[in-house]
Amino acid sequence: MTVRIGVEEEFHIVEVETGRLAPRADAVLKGLPEYAFTTELQQAAVETNSGVHETLADLYDDVTGARRRLDAAANAHGLAVVAAGTVPLARAEDTRPTPGRRYRRMVDDYRMVADEQLICGTHVHVDVPDRDLAVRVMCEVSPWLHALLALSASSPFWANTDTGYASWRTMVWQRWPTAGPPGCFADAAEYDAVVQGLVRSGVISDVGMIYYDIRPSAHQQTLELRICDACPRAETVVLIAGLFRALVTDARARLAAAEPPACPGRHEWLRAAAWRAARSGLEGALIDPGTRREAPAAQVVRGLLGRVRPALEAAGDWPTVLGLAERALADGSAAYRIRRTAHHDDLLACTDLAIAETRGEERPRPRRTAPARRVASPGQAAA
């Protein structure tokens, strides 16, 4: 039986004319079903939750349908939504926290870390009903997650400035105390004991604040991928979901065959690999999980495809994922496309591009006005 998948996507809410954040989540979400559309820590962001699907085609239809509904709701207020790790003109003073006890505590406890939570991600859930197995699979697939981050990279700008990174969201996200690669655990009991210890320490308030790159869900029988930027193109979301499901399927097969684990329990290099992917995206080198040396991004991505091809073929996903991966490598990351737009135009045009891609359009719609928003401190494309 095909393993089921689902996706959570986070979106920035922006003013169309200025490209700045708009703290209007409550207005945008009014009338949309709560099970599929919800708030985030900051009022300038919202989240969609897909249904559970067996095929990538059904997932794509769900994701694009949710984007259309959200876009229409935002348009009714003169706003737009952007699926990207950051938006170039975002400023902390342009938004405010979402009301509620939990969010209020996060703002009070984490101060600027919470204030500057102006980032959005893509989360993928894959069914793994056995929680002990989910914990072991988590460790097995971790060496490849940075390649999925590179495919998603969409956040080169922060506060009007070119950061020099393809995913600055990753660098912002890693300031949370539980962000980054998880450790290796023998079973769910060991994992849960560590999580409860973190809660008891007072560093985090609840299990929902376990922000590892990958984690067993606390509420569903799934393994959840959390390392990726939000993706302007829905096709990239489908690509990452297909690859993550294949990684999980491949890991389960390897564990059943009692093959040696891919991860020996030392995760320092995983954090370094994520940094390399955040720095370079698809436009530079990544770390090859086999050699732990730098290699061209295309080589690492194609190595991942080769590793999980049997799982992709078994699910009927191979033609779709191969085609999407080759297109991603040919077109470059969203970060590359956004940075290229800034080079030829300005930062407002970058936001227009991300809005258009979020809508599934090839190019931005014409503007009535075009106020200049030049890059404050230009950076070079990531090497």
Side-chain angles (χ1 to χ4, degrees):
M1 184 177 68
T2 303
V3 177
R4 301 182 306 167
I5 50 177
V7 167
E8 300 168 4
E9 290 195 273
E10 297 168 352
F11 298 82
H12 303 277
I13 304 172
V14 298
E15 297 175 347
V16 175
E17 294 303 317
T18 66
R20 289 167 59 175
L21 294 175
R24 303 286 304 282
D26 289 342
V28 170
L29 294 176
K30 188 175 182 179
L32 294 174
E34 292 183 5
Y35 68 85
F37 301 87
T38 187
T39 55
E40 280 291 321
L41 171 61
Q42 296 292 345
Q43 272 280 294
V46 292
E47 179 183 282
T48 63
N49 298 284
S50 80
V52 180
H53 301 285
E54 292 189 357
T55 71
L56 295 183
D58 287 345
L59 178 65
Y60 176 78
D61 289 344
D62 191 337
V63 166
T64 53
R67 287 179 175 216
R68 285 192 297 270
R69 294 183 69 181
L70 188 59
D71 180 62
N75 285 346
H77 298 278
L79 305 169
V81 292
V82 175
T86 62
V87 287
L89 300 169
R91 305 183 309 176
E93 56 264 38
D94 289 335
T95 188
R96 59 179 181 269
T98 296
R101 180 182 299 176
R102 183 172 186 266
Y103 287 148
R104 181 71 259 166
R105 178 175 177 179
M106 290 175 69
V107 170
D108 290 343
D109 286 353
Y110 300 100
R111 299 296 300 275
M112 189 172 288
V113 173
D115 295 343
E116 293 187 345
Q117 183 72 2
L118 313 178
I119 57 176
C120 288
T122 300
H123 304 161
V124 181
H125 288 262
V126 172
D127 272 347
V128 186
D130 184 327
R131 190 171 170 82
D132 286 333
L133 179 60
V135 167
R136 293 194 293 272
V137 168
M138 177 175 70
C139 187
E140 185 74 13
V141 305
S142 287
W144 291 97
L145 299 187
H146 66 285
L148 303 184
L149 169 59
L151 287 165
S152 75
S154 63
S155 48
F157 292 100
W158 179 258
N160 299 16
T161 302
D162 187 331
T163 66
Y165 284 74
S167 174
W168 187 247
R169 168 196 159 273
T170 296
M171 311 313 294
V172 174
W173 181 247
Q174 287 183 348
R175 297 185 297 185
W176 290 96
T178 58
C184 285
F185 306 94
D187 53 29
E190 184 178 351
Y191 171 83
D192 291 338
V194 169
V195 170
Q196 290 303 321
L198 288 167
V199 174
R200 286 194 301 272
S201 76
V203 172
I204 59 174
S205 59
D206 55 64
V207 297
M209 292 191 67
I210 294 295
Y211 295 150
Y212 295 148
D213 296 338
I214 183 174
R215 69 181 185 186
S217 172
H219 307 293
Q220 305 176 60
Q221 293 181 321
T222 65
L223 195 58
E224 181 185 4
L225 174 74
R226 300 179 56 86
I227 196 174
C228 293
D229 281 9
C231 305
R233 290 178 176 174
E235 291 84 354
T236 308
V237 176
V238 172
L239 169 61
I240 290 168
L243 285 171
F244 182 55
R245 174 165 68 177
L247 275 168
V248 171
T249 302
D250 173 77
R252 294 180 65 170
R254 292 174 185 271
L255 288 168
E259 293 190 14
C263 178
R266 298 298 301 273
H267 281 198
E268 298 90 344
W269 80 276
L270 294 181
R271 190 172 183 87
W275 178 88
R276 180 75 268 173
R279 175 70 173 90
S280 301
L282 295 176
E283 284 63 60
L286 299 177
I287 296 181
D288 186 302
T291 65
R292 299 195 187 174
R293 296 179 179 273
E294 286 192 345
Q299 178 179 319
V300 175
V301 171
R302 292 190 177 110
L304 170 57
L305 287 168
R307 178 183 178 89
V308 300
R309 179 170 182 172
L312 289 169
E313 289 179 336
D317 293 343
W318 173 249
T320 297
V321 169
L322 177 63
L324 291 175
E326 291 298 338
R327 181 191 176 190
L329 293 173
D331 290 354
S333 66
Y336 168 78
R337 299 192 300 275
I338 291 167
R339 185 175 276 125
R340 181 180 59 191
T341 299
H343 177 75
H344 292 294
D345 203 328
D346 58 32
L347 292 184
L348 187 56
C350 296
T351 304
D352 289 344
L353 174 65
I355 291 171
E357 291 195 354
T358 301
R359 289 171 170 160
E361 299 170 351
E362 290 293 324
R363 56 182 58 85
R365 299 174 185 178
R367 281 191 155 271
R368 294 194 301 272
T369 59
R373 293 290 189 274
R374 297 294 173 185
V375 182
S377 178
Q380 300 298 317

